[in-house]
């Protein structure tokens, strides 16, 4: 039952799968940070239309299962509407997975960031306005940097969830670690060692997520704003 | 407690001596508040306020809590919009919210009760931020000017620290330097010393007195009688959203005209 043989026999494929996971997670982390920042800016903007847009986006996306979001991207937008990034299916599914995952995670980043904005005393924005900064300048230079520092640790949790959520992308035709595992399990030749395979892949995810958590915790302490 | 006499040489001067005659424009109306009304929902906070502050003049605003003093200050640089009337700064009415307003607002310096220094920036960065981002001044030039200002308020040696590392009095002096860096035409002070420990009040008042002597136009909400007497030409007593009395500091503190003011003074003088 605990035969780790098949796990190591197929180590290359599993590693390949994890490489897919890392590529998806790393690019999505950057993009979701961008999307989340823009959304949070919308949600605190003085322009009502932007606030409505930001709120609507967050509420729709946050309450839609990720599988649906990703299937909508891969099957809906890519296959049915033929909105492709490239003729190479691997490339186009990759980018749709990135967009879907980032768009989804961005909603959560936005909400964390908004909590961070609420920790910044009102006086900071008033002082910024009083020296003549515009709304965008005071958001960019004064409010968001302090808001980010306040929520680095919670953002770490968002990113850990995001790394695990990459497994859903296999449903959307993107080959990452979980997809590699499933294709191994589906091989007719694969008769024993399923449990070790699960354990191995789970450890693989921990190798990605645990340092992420530690790093964000460390960064949070280091960057904290003293008041 | 409210009467805090500042530096030893400052108290000897009568108000006449403390007013320099800067530039040719002394005496020109710099801030004009005309028939200003302001509500917070049902609450009528400013009721037909009229006030003129001339260039080089120092006006102290005094009155009971909730009387609308802060709201008046905040209206003057449009941190609060007004419902009626108009406010002119150097002859220009401040535009509605927007880029134009942001720029003009920098002409009106504001010093807050709670300092509000940018917590994630050093003291030097606090002071140079406005000149660089709003006035589009070079970094070197801004830093040089900032260091001069920090030196003048006596905290040049704290330039590279963060606000939380400074005492309240030092933070407030840094906040004054931050305002001055924008070379404002007028400075508003909203209870600049009320959040300070008593032993730090004078270091801030001394800086303000120095500014007044150099001819800075100032509107100061404060209950510090010593400061009002040595630096201000006019005291405005505000209560219930109205200007109840305008007087010279000496007259106001010794011989107020209105009962409302006398009553208020008797309360703050009892301790
Ligand atoms: N943002 C606000 N929203 C609602 N009411 C306010 C607000 N700011 C001030 N007020 C009210 O307006 C009145 C005047 O306040 P303020 O100008 O701060 O007085 P003061 O500075 O003289 O103590 C008070 O009754 C206060 O509660
Ligand atoms: Mg007040």
């Amino acid at each position: 039952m605990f035969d780790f043989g098949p796990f190591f026999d197929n180590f290359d494929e599993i590693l390949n799968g994890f490489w897919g996971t890392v590529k998806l997670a790393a690019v999505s982390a950057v993009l979701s940070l961008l999307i989340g920042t823009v959304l949070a800016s919308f949600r605190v903007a003085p322009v009502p239309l932007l606030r409505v847009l930001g709120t609507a986006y967050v509420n729709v996306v946050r309450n839609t299962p990720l599988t649906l979001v990703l299937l909508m991207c891969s099957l809906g937008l890519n296959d049915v509407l033929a909105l492709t990034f490239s003729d190479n299916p691997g490339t186009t599914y990759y980018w749709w997975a990135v967009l879907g995952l980032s768009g989804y995670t961005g909603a959560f980043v936005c909400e964390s960031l908004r909590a961070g904005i609420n920790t910044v005393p009102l006086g900071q924005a008033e002082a910024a306005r009083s020296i003549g900064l515009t709304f965008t300048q005071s958001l960019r230079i004064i409010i968001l940097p302090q808001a980010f520092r306040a929520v680095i640790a919670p953002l770490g949790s968002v990113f850990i969830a995001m790394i695990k959520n990459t497994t859903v992308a296999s449903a959307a035709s993107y080959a990452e670690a979980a997809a590699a595992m499933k294709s191994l399990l589906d091989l007719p030749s694969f008769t024993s060692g399923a449990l070790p395979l699960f354990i191995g892949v789970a450890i693989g995810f921990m190798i990605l997520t645990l340092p992420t958590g530690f790093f964000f915790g460390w960064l949070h302490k280091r960057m904290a704003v003293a008041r | 407690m409210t009467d805090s006499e500042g530096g030893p040489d400052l108290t000897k001067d009568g108000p006449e001596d403390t007013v320099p005659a800067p530039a040719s424009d002394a005496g020109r109306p710099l801030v004009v508040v005309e028939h200003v009304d302001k509500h917070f929902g049902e609450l009528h906070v400013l009721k037909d306020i009229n006030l003129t502050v001339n260039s080089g003049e120092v006006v102290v605003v005094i009155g009971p809590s909730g009387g609308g003093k802060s709201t008046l200050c905040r209206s003057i640089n449009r941190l609060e919009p007004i419902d009626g009337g108009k406010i002119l700064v150097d002859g220009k009415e401040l535009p509605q919210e927007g880029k134009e307003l942001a720029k003009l607002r920098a002409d009106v310096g504001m010093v807050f009760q709670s300092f509000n220094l940018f917590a994630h920036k050093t003291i030097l960065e606090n002071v140079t931020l406005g000149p660089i981002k709003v006035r589009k001044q070079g970094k070197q030039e801004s830093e040089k000017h900032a260091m001069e200002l920090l030196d003048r308020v006596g905290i040049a040696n704290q330039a590279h620290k963060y606000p939380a590392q400074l005492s309240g009095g030092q933070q407030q002096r840094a906040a004054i330097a931050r305002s001055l860096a924008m070379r404002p035409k007028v400075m508003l002070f909203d209870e600049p010393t009320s959040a300070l420990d008593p032993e730090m009040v004078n270091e801030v008042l001394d800086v303000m007195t120095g500014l007044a002597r150099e001819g800075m136009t100032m509107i100061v909400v404060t209950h510090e009688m010593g400061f009002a007497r040595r630096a201000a030409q006019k005291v405005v007593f505000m209560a219930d959203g109205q200007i109840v009395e305008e007087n010279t500091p000496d007259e106001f503190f010794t011989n107020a005209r209105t009962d409302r003011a006398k009553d208020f003074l008797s309360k703050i003088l009892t301790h």
Side-chain angles (χ1 to χ4, degrees), chain A residues 44-73:
Chain A
V44 298
V47 185
L49 177 68
L50 293 182
R51 283 204 302 273
V52 169
L53 281 177
T55 310
Y57 180 96
V58 167
N59 282 320
V60 169
V61 172
R62 211 165 45 141
N63 293 298
T64 307
L66 176 58
T67 318
L68 276 178
V69 174
L70 286 171
L71 284 177
M72 197 126 72
C73 288

PDB file of all heavy atoms in Angstrom, chain A residues 44-73:
ATOM      1  N   VAL A  44     -12.800  52.891  -3.303  1.00  0.00           N
ATOM      2  CA  VAL A  44     -12.724  54.057  -2.414  1.00  0.00           C
ATOM      3  C   VAL A  44     -12.700  55.362  -3.206  1.00  0.00           C
ATOM      4  O   VAL A  44     -12.513  56.435  -2.633  1.00  0.00           O
ATOM      5  CB  VAL A  44     -11.491  53.990  -1.481  1.00  0.00           C
ATOM      6  CG1 VAL A  44     -11.566  52.776  -0.579  1.00  0.00           C
ATOM      7  CG2 VAL A  44     -10.187  53.965  -2.284  1.00  0.00           C
ATOM      8  N   ALA A  45     -12.904  55.279  -4.527  1.00  0.00           N
ATOM      9  CA  ALA A  45     -12.807  56.471  -5.378  1.00  0.00           C
ATOM     10  C   ALA A  45     -13.958  57.436  -5.092  1.00  0.00           C
ATOM     11  O   ALA A  45     -15.028  57.017  -4.650  1.00  0.00           O
ATOM     12  CB  ALA A  45     -12.818  56.070  -6.842  1.00  0.00           C
ATOM     13  N   PRO A  46     -13.718  58.738  -5.328  1.00  0.00           N
ATOM     14  CA  PRO A  46     -14.802  59.691  -5.139  1.00  0.00           C
ATOM     15  C   PRO A  46     -15.850  59.611  -6.264  1.00  0.00           C
ATOM     16  O   PRO A  46     -16.911  60.197  -6.134  1.00  0.00           O
ATOM     17  CB  PRO A  46     -14.089  61.048  -5.138  1.00  0.00           C
ATOM     18  CG  PRO A  46     -12.776  60.822  -5.795  1.00  0.00           C
ATOM     19  CD  PRO A  46     -12.442  59.384  -5.669  1.00  0.00           C
ATOM     20  N   VAL A  47     -15.539  58.908  -7.352  1.00  0.00           N
ATOM     21  CA  VAL A  47     -16.483  58.806  -8.472  1.00  0.00           C
ATOM     22  C   VAL A  47     -17.445  57.636  -8.219  1.00  0.00           C
ATOM     23  O   VAL A  47     -17.007  56.485  -8.165  1.00  0.00           O
ATOM     24  CB  VAL A  47     -15.719  58.575  -9.793  1.00  0.00           C
ATOM     25  CG1 VAL A  47     -16.675  58.600 -10.970  1.00  0.00           C
ATOM     26  CG2 VAL A  47     -14.611  59.593  -9.959  1.00  0.00           C
ATOM     27  N   PRO A  48     -18.743  57.918  -8.073  1.00  0.00           N
ATOM     28  CA  PRO A  48     -19.689  56.850  -7.729  1.00  0.00           C
ATOM     29  C   PRO A  48     -19.676  55.690  -8.725  1.00  0.00           C
ATOM     30  O   PRO A  48     -19.772  54.527  -8.323  1.00  0.00           O
ATOM     31  CB  PRO A  48     -21.049  57.553  -7.742  1.00  0.00           C
ATOM     32  CG  PRO A  48     -20.735  58.999  -7.547  1.00  0.00           C
ATOM     33  CD  PRO A  48     -19.389  59.230  -8.142  1.00  0.00           C
ATOM     34  N   LEU A  49     -19.536  55.991 -10.018  1.00  0.00           N
ATOM     35  CA  LEU A  49     -19.556  54.929 -11.028  1.00  0.00           C
ATOM     36  C   LEU A  49     -18.444  53.911 -10.783  1.00  0.00           C
ATOM     37  O   LEU A  49     -18.652  52.700 -10.880  1.00  0.00           O
ATOM     38  CB  LEU A  49     -19.427  55.529 -12.432  1.00  0.00           C
ATOM     39  CG  LEU A  49     -19.374  54.494 -13.570  1.00  0.00           C
ATOM     40  CD1 LEU A  49     -20.728  53.789 -13.701  1.00  0.00           C
ATOM     41  CD2 LEU A  49     -18.979  55.128 -14.889  1.00  0.00           C
ATOM     42  N   LEU A  50     -17.259  54.409 -10.450  1.00  0.00           N
ATOM     43  CA  LEU A  50     -16.142  53.508 -10.184  1.00  0.00           C
ATOM     44  C   LEU A  50     -16.431  52.645  -8.957  1.00  0.00           C
ATOM     45  O   LEU A  50     -16.146  51.445  -8.938  1.00  0.00           O
ATOM     46  CB  LEU A  50     -14.849  54.296  -9.961  1.00  0.00           C
ATOM     47  CG  LEU A  50     -14.299  55.049 -11.176  1.00  0.00           C
ATOM     48  CD1 LEU A  50     -12.988  55.743 -10.824  1.00  0.00           C
ATOM     49  CD2 LEU A  50     -14.084  54.098 -12.344  1.00  0.00           C
ATOM     50  N   ARG A  51     -17.005  53.279  -7.930  1.00  0.00           N
ATOM     51  CA  ARG A  51     -17.329  52.511  -6.721  1.00  0.00           C
ATOM     52  C   ARG A  51     -18.307  51.391  -7.048  1.00  0.00           C
ATOM     53  O   ARG A  51     -18.159  50.262  -6.591  1.00  0.00           O
ATOM     54  CB  ARG A  51     -17.926  53.430  -5.649  1.00  0.00           C
ATOM     55  CG  ARG A  51     -16.890  54.271  -4.928  1.00  0.00           C
ATOM     56  CD  ARG A  51     -17.394  54.699  -3.560  1.00  0.00           C
ATOM     57  NE  ARG A  51     -18.639  55.459  -3.640  1.00  0.00           N
ATOM     58  CZ  ARG A  51     -18.665  56.775  -3.825  1.00  0.00           C
ATOM     59  NH1 ARG A  51     -17.553  57.455  -3.933  1.00  0.00           N
ATOM     60  NH2 ARG A  51     -19.819  57.408  -3.885  1.00  0.00           N
ATOM     61  N   VAL A  52     -19.323  51.716  -7.859  1.00  0.00           N
ATOM     62  CA  VAL A  52     -20.325  50.715  -8.234  1.00  0.00           C
ATOM     63  C   VAL A  52     -19.662  49.580  -9.012  1.00  0.00           C
ATOM     64  O   VAL A  52     -19.894  48.398  -8.735  1.00  0.00           O
ATOM     65  CB  VAL A  52     -21.452  51.368  -9.061  1.00  0.00           C
ATOM     66  CG1 VAL A  52     -22.341  50.308  -9.691  1.00  0.00           C
ATOM     67  CG2 VAL A  52     -22.269  52.298  -8.181  1.00  0.00           C
ATOM     68  N   LEU A  53     -18.804  49.939  -9.960  1.00  0.00           N
ATOM     69  CA  LEU A  53     -18.117  48.921 -10.760  1.00  0.00           C
ATOM     70  C   LEU A  53     -17.279  48.007  -9.874  1.00  0.00           C
ATOM     71  O   LEU A  53     -17.343  46.778  -9.983  1.00  0.00           O
ATOM     72  CB  LEU A  53     -17.211  49.591 -11.799  1.00  0.00           C
ATOM     73  CG  LEU A  53     -17.891  50.132 -13.048  1.00  0.00           C
ATOM     74  CD1 LEU A  53     -16.878  50.826 -13.952  1.00  0.00           C
ATOM     75  CD2 LEU A  53     -18.579  49.004 -13.803  1.00  0.00           C
ATOM     76  N   GLY A  54     -16.511  48.607  -9.002  1.00  0.00           N
ATOM     77  CA  GLY A  54     -15.634  47.836  -8.120  1.00  0.00           C
ATOM     78  C   GLY A  54     -16.430  46.890  -7.238  1.00  0.00           C
ATOM     79  O   GLY A  54     -16.106  45.706  -7.106  1.00  0.00           O
ATOM     80  N   THR A  55     -17.495  47.419  -6.646  1.00  0.00           N
ATOM     81  CA  THR A  55     -18.317  46.605  -5.750  1.00  0.00           C
ATOM     82  C   THR A  55     -18.972  45.461  -6.509  1.00  0.00           C
ATOM     83  O   THR A  55     -18.986  44.307  -6.048  1.00  0.00           O
ATOM     84  CB  THR A  55     -19.403  47.491  -5.102  1.00  0.00           C
ATOM     85  OG1 THR A  55     -18.768  48.642  -4.565  1.00  0.00           O
ATOM     86  CG2 THR A  55     -20.128  46.745  -3.996  1.00  0.00           C
ATOM     87  N   ALA A  56     -19.504  45.778  -7.683  1.00  0.00           N
ATOM     88  CA  ALA A  56     -20.190  44.754  -8.475  1.00  0.00           C
ATOM     89  C   ALA A  56     -19.207  43.641  -8.841  1.00  0.00           C
ATOM     90  O   ALA A  56     -19.496  42.453  -8.664  1.00  0.00           O
ATOM     91  CB  ALA A  56     -20.791  45.376  -9.736  1.00  0.00           C
ATOM     92  N   TYR A  57     -18.048  44.012  -9.318  1.00  0.00           N
ATOM     93  CA  TYR A  57     -17.057  43.017  -9.722  1.00  0.00           C
ATOM     94  C   TYR A  57     -16.723  42.089  -8.561  1.00  0.00           C
ATOM     95  O   TYR A  57     -16.779  40.870  -8.677  1.00  0.00           O
ATOM     96  CB  TYR A  57     -15.782  43.718 -10.207  1.00  0.00           C
ATOM     97  CG  TYR A  57     -14.707  42.741 -10.652  1.00  0.00           C
ATOM     98  CD1 TYR A  57     -14.563  42.406 -11.990  1.00  0.00           C
ATOM     99  CD2 TYR A  57     -13.855  42.135  -9.720  1.00  0.00           C
ATOM    100  CE1 TYR A  57     -13.597  41.500 -12.392  1.00  0.00           C
ATOM    101  CE2 TYR A  57     -12.893  41.228 -10.111  1.00  0.00           C
ATOM    102  CZ  TYR A  57     -12.767  40.914 -11.449  1.00  0.00           C
ATOM    103  OH  TYR A  57     -11.822  40.007 -11.833  1.00  0.00           O
ATOM    104  N   VAL A  58     -16.377  42.702  -7.422  1.00  0.00           N
ATOM    105  CA  VAL A  58     -15.963  41.896  -6.273  1.00  0.00           C
ATOM    106  C   VAL A  58     -17.078  40.944  -5.851  1.00  0.00           C
ATOM    107  O   VAL A  58     -16.848  39.755  -5.612  1.00  0.00           O
ATOM    108  CB  VAL A  58     -15.543  42.806  -5.094  1.00  0.00           C
ATOM    109  CG1 VAL A  58     -15.409  41.999  -3.810  1.00  0.00           C
ATOM    110  CG2 VAL A  58     -14.235  43.498  -5.418  1.00  0.00           C
ATOM    111  N   ASN A  59     -18.305  41.461  -5.800  1.00  0.00           N
ATOM    112  CA  ASN A  59     -19.387  40.605  -5.316  1.00  0.00           C
ATOM    113  C   ASN A  59     -19.736  39.488  -6.280  1.00  0.00           C
ATOM    114  O   ASN A  59     -20.049  38.379  -5.855  1.00  0.00           O
ATOM    115  CB  ASN A  59     -20.607  41.450  -4.969  1.00  0.00           C
ATOM    116  CG  ASN A  59     -20.409  42.136  -3.628  1.00  0.00           C
ATOM    117  OD1 ASN A  59     -19.885  41.535  -2.695  1.00  0.00           O
ATOM    118  ND2 ASN A  59     -20.761  43.402  -3.554  1.00  0.00           N
ATOM    119  N   VAL A  60     -19.675  39.768  -7.572  1.00  0.00           N
ATOM    120  CA  VAL A  60     -19.965  38.712  -8.541  1.00  0.00           C
ATOM    121  C   VAL A  60     -18.863  37.654  -8.511  1.00  0.00           C
ATOM    122  O   VAL A  60     -19.122  36.458  -8.351  1.00  0.00           O
ATOM    123  CB  VAL A  60     -20.114  39.299  -9.967  1.00  0.00           C
ATOM    124  CG1 VAL A  60     -20.132  38.184 -11.001  1.00  0.00           C
ATOM    125  CG2 VAL A  60     -21.374  40.142 -10.057  1.00  0.00           C
ATOM    126  N   VAL A  61     -17.622  38.101  -8.634  1.00  0.00           N
ATOM    127  CA  VAL A  61     -16.518  37.148  -8.774  1.00  0.00           C
ATOM    128  C   VAL A  61     -16.270  36.350  -7.494  1.00  0.00           C
ATOM    129  O   VAL A  61     -16.031  35.151  -7.531  1.00  0.00           O
ATOM    130  CB  VAL A  61     -15.235  37.886  -9.214  1.00  0.00           C
ATOM    131  CG1 VAL A  61     -14.038  36.968  -9.171  1.00  0.00           C
ATOM    132  CG2 VAL A  61     -15.418  38.452 -10.616  1.00  0.00           C
ATOM    133  N   ARG A  62     -16.389  37.052  -6.360  1.00  0.00           N
ATOM    134  CA  ARG A  62     -16.098  36.380  -5.098  1.00  0.00           C
ATOM    135  C   ARG A  62     -17.135  35.297  -4.792  1.00  0.00           C
ATOM    136  O   ARG A  62     -16.867  34.360  -4.056  1.00  0.00           O
ATOM    137  CB  ARG A  62     -16.097  37.413  -3.986  1.00  0.00           C
ATOM    138  CG  ARG A  62     -15.162  37.086  -2.867  1.00  0.00           C
ATOM    139  CD  ARG A  62     -14.948  38.292  -1.996  1.00  0.00           C
ATOM    140  NE  ARG A  62     -16.209  38.967  -1.689  1.00  0.00           N
ATOM    141  CZ  ARG A  62     -16.477  39.480  -0.499  1.00  0.00           C
ATOM    142  NH1 ARG A  62     -15.615  39.390   0.471  1.00  0.00           N
ATOM    143  NH2 ARG A  62     -17.611  40.112  -0.299  1.00  0.00           N
ATOM    144  N   ASN A  63     -18.334  35.461  -5.360  1.00  0.00           N
ATOM    145  CA  ASN A  63     -19.398  34.512  -5.055  1.00  0.00           C
ATOM    146  C   ASN A  63     -19.623  33.496  -6.156  1.00  0.00           C
ATOM    147  O   ASN A  63     -20.620  32.785  -6.155  1.00  0.00           O
ATOM    148  CB  ASN A  63     -20.682  35.277  -4.733  1.00  0.00           C
ATOM    149  CG  ASN A  63     -20.529  36.045  -3.439  1.00  0.00           C
ATOM    150  OD1 ASN A  63     -20.327  35.452  -2.386  1.00  0.00           O
ATOM    151  ND2 ASN A  63     -20.557  37.363  -3.513  1.00  0.00           N
ATOM    152  N   THR A  64     -18.702  33.450  -7.112  1.00  0.00           N
ATOM    153  CA  THR A  64     -18.781  32.442  -8.169  1.00  0.00           C
ATOM    154  C   THR A  64     -17.714  31.387  -7.884  1.00  0.00           C
ATOM    155  O   THR A  64     -16.581  31.734  -7.583  1.00  0.00           O
ATOM    156  CB  THR A  64     -18.500  33.091  -9.536  1.00  0.00           C
ATOM    157  OG1 THR A  64     -19.360  34.205  -9.708  1.00  0.00           O
ATOM    158  CG2 THR A  64     -18.719  32.101 -10.673  1.00  0.00           C
ATOM    159  N   PRO A  65     -18.089  30.095  -7.972  1.00  0.00           N
ATOM    160  CA  PRO A  65     -17.062  29.065  -7.761  1.00  0.00           C
ATOM    161  C   PRO A  65     -15.924  29.224  -8.777  1.00  0.00           C
ATOM    162  O   PRO A  65     -16.176  29.520  -9.946  1.00  0.00           O
ATOM    163  CB  PRO A  65     -17.816  27.762  -7.988  1.00  0.00           C
ATOM    164  CG  PRO A  65     -19.244  28.106  -7.774  1.00  0.00           C
ATOM    165  CD  PRO A  65     -19.416  29.527  -8.196  1.00  0.00           C
ATOM    166  N   LEU A  66     -14.725  29.009  -8.310  1.00  0.00           N
ATOM    167  CA  LEU A  66     -13.556  29.199  -9.173  1.00  0.00           C
ATOM    168  C   LEU A  66     -13.613  28.279 -10.399  1.00  0.00           C
ATOM    169  O   LEU A  66     -13.228  28.670 -11.500  1.00  0.00           O
ATOM    170  CB  LEU A  66     -12.278  28.951  -8.375  1.00  0.00           C
ATOM    171  CG  LEU A  66     -10.965  29.024  -9.168  1.00  0.00           C
ATOM    172  CD1 LEU A  66     -10.814  30.386  -9.826  1.00  0.00           C
ATOM    173  CD2 LEU A  66      -9.779  28.745  -8.265  1.00  0.00           C
ATOM    174  N   THR A  67     -14.117  27.053 -10.193  1.00  0.00           N
ATOM    175  CA  THR A  67     -14.222  26.120 -11.325  1.00  0.00           C
ATOM    176  C   THR A  67     -15.029  26.753 -12.457  1.00  0.00           C
ATOM    177  O   THR A  67     -14.665  26.655 -13.631  1.00  0.00           O
ATOM    178  CB  THR A  67     -14.906  24.822 -10.882  1.00  0.00           C
ATOM    179  OG1 THR A  67     -14.404  24.451  -9.612  1.00  0.00           O
ATOM    180  CG2 THR A  67     -14.681  23.720 -11.882  1.00  0.00           C
ATOM    181  N   LEU A  68     -16.135  27.412 -12.074  1.00  0.00           N
ATOM    182  CA  LEU A  68     -16.969  28.051 -13.089  1.00  0.00           C
ATOM    183  C   LEU A  68     -16.209  29.172 -13.784  1.00  0.00           C
ATOM    184  O   LEU A  68     -16.273  29.317 -15.006  1.00  0.00           O
ATOM    185  CB  LEU A  68     -18.222  28.625 -12.439  1.00  0.00           C
ATOM    186  CG  LEU A  68     -19.362  27.637 -12.252  1.00  0.00           C
ATOM    187  CD1 LEU A  68     -20.527  28.305 -11.546  1.00  0.00           C
ATOM    188  CD2 LEU A  68     -19.793  27.138 -13.617  1.00  0.00           C
ATOM    189  N   VAL A  69     -15.498  29.965 -12.991  1.00  0.00           N
ATOM    190  CA  VAL A  69     -14.734  31.074 -13.569  1.00  0.00           C
ATOM    191  C   VAL A  69     -13.742  30.535 -14.591  1.00  0.00           C
ATOM    192  O   VAL A  69     -13.638  31.040 -15.719  1.00  0.00           O
ATOM    193  CB  VAL A  69     -13.980  31.865 -12.473  1.00  0.00           C
ATOM    194  CG1 VAL A  69     -13.071  32.912 -13.093  1.00  0.00           C
ATOM    195  CG2 VAL A  69     -14.959  32.516 -11.513  1.00  0.00           C
ATOM    196  N   LEU A  70     -13.024  29.482 -14.194  1.00  0.00           N
ATOM    197  CA  LEU A  70     -11.984  28.955 -15.080  1.00  0.00           C
ATOM    198  C   LEU A  70     -12.581  28.260 -16.304  1.00  0.00           C
ATOM    199  O   LEU A  70     -12.073  28.389 -17.417  1.00  0.00           O
ATOM    200  CB  LEU A  70     -11.071  28.001 -14.303  1.00  0.00           C
ATOM    201  CG  LEU A  70     -10.118  28.729 -13.355  1.00  0.00           C
ATOM    202  CD1 LEU A  70      -9.396  27.744 -12.456  1.00  0.00           C
ATOM    203  CD2 LEU A  70      -9.120  29.576 -14.128  1.00  0.00           C
ATOM    204  N   LEU A  71     -13.694  27.535 -16.105  1.00  0.00           N
ATOM    205  CA  LEU A  71     -14.329  26.890 -17.258  1.00  0.00           C
ATOM    206  C   LEU A  71     -14.875  27.935 -18.219  1.00  0.00           C
ATOM    207  O   LEU A  71     -14.813  27.778 -19.438  1.00  0.00           O
ATOM    208  CB  LEU A  71     -15.444  25.954 -16.795  1.00  0.00           C
ATOM    209  CG  LEU A  71     -14.960  24.634 -16.197  1.00  0.00           C
ATOM    210  CD1 LEU A  71     -16.140  23.804 -15.702  1.00  0.00           C
ATOM    211  CD2 LEU A  71     -14.157  23.843 -17.233  1.00  0.00           C
ATOM    212  N   MET A  72     -15.403  29.019 -17.644  1.00  0.00           N
ATOM    213  CA  MET A  72     -15.908  30.091 -18.479  1.00  0.00           C
ATOM    214  C   MET A  72     -14.778  30.638 -19.345  1.00  0.00           C
ATOM    215  O   MET A  72     -14.970  30.942 -20.517  1.00  0.00           O
ATOM    216  CB  MET A  72     -16.441  31.208 -17.595  1.00  0.00           C
ATOM    217  CG  MET A  72     -17.334  32.156 -18.328  1.00  0.00           C
ATOM    218  SD  MET A  72     -18.884  32.276 -17.460  1.00  0.00           S
ATOM    219  CE  MET A  72     -18.365  33.208 -16.032  1.00  0.00           C
ATOM    220  N   CYS A  73     -13.606  30.769 -18.747  1.00  0.00           N
ATOM    221  CA  CYS A  73     -12.465  31.277 -19.507  1.00  0.00           C
ATOM    222  C   CYS A  73     -12.039  30.277 -20.583  1.00  0.00           C
ATOM    223  O   CYS A  73     -11.920  30.645 -21.758  1.00  0.00           O
ATOM    224  CB  CYS A  73     -11.281  31.550 -18.579  1.00  0.00           C
ATOM    225  SG  CYS A  73     -11.517  32.979 -17.534  1.00  0.00           S
TER     226      CYS A  73
END
